[in-house]
Amino acid sequence: MSGGEVRAPRQRRARGAEESLGSIVLAFESIVVFLGGLAIYGLNALPPQIPGWWGIVAGAVLAVVMVLTGRALRHRWGIALGWALQLVVALGAILVPALALVALIFGAMWGYATIKGASLDARNARLAAEADTLNGE
């Protein structure tokens, strides 16, 4: 590339409502999940044979997986993985019952983001197809 050439900016991929809303929910939930791992450590909630610092490791790993899943929501398996992560958070309530409230709140937000986001995406696709049909005469 010579000094006088200017490269055109790269076009961003269009993201649907399901992907956008889902990634926002997972990003915020990752912060709470990490703090939940700290709570598991601080409350010494793990069984005696498991060192307490594994609570921090589990919270950190789960938080990172949530952030990475937010990047994969364009695929159907990314949505399924998000539902599986909601189940893992709910299972954390076995160790710290307060995590049941976290699972309930973020699970409801995740459900809304995926269900309503998918219906918005379908509606937008239908409207775009109708607009192309009307203008393409």
Side-chain angles (χ1 to χ4, degrees), residues 130-137:
E130 288 174 4
D132 286 345
T133 302
L134 294 175
N135 293 332
E137 295 179 334

Side-chain angles (χ1 to χ4, degrees), residues 26-44:
L26 287 177
F28 281 113
E29 188 176 11
S30 70
I31 297 167
V32 176
V33 164
F34 176 72
L35 295 174
L38 291 175
I40 289 171
Y41 170 74
L43 295 172
N44 202 16

Side-chain angles (χ1 to χ4, degrees), residues 68-95:
L68 294 176
T69 301
R71 304 283 298 174
L73 292 180
R74 71 183 83 165
H75 308 288
R76 297 298 343 150
W77 60 265
I79 301 294
L81 180 58
W83 281 108
L85 291 172
Q86 300 307 313
L87 179 64
V88 170
V89 173
L91 290 175
I94 295 170
L95 299 172

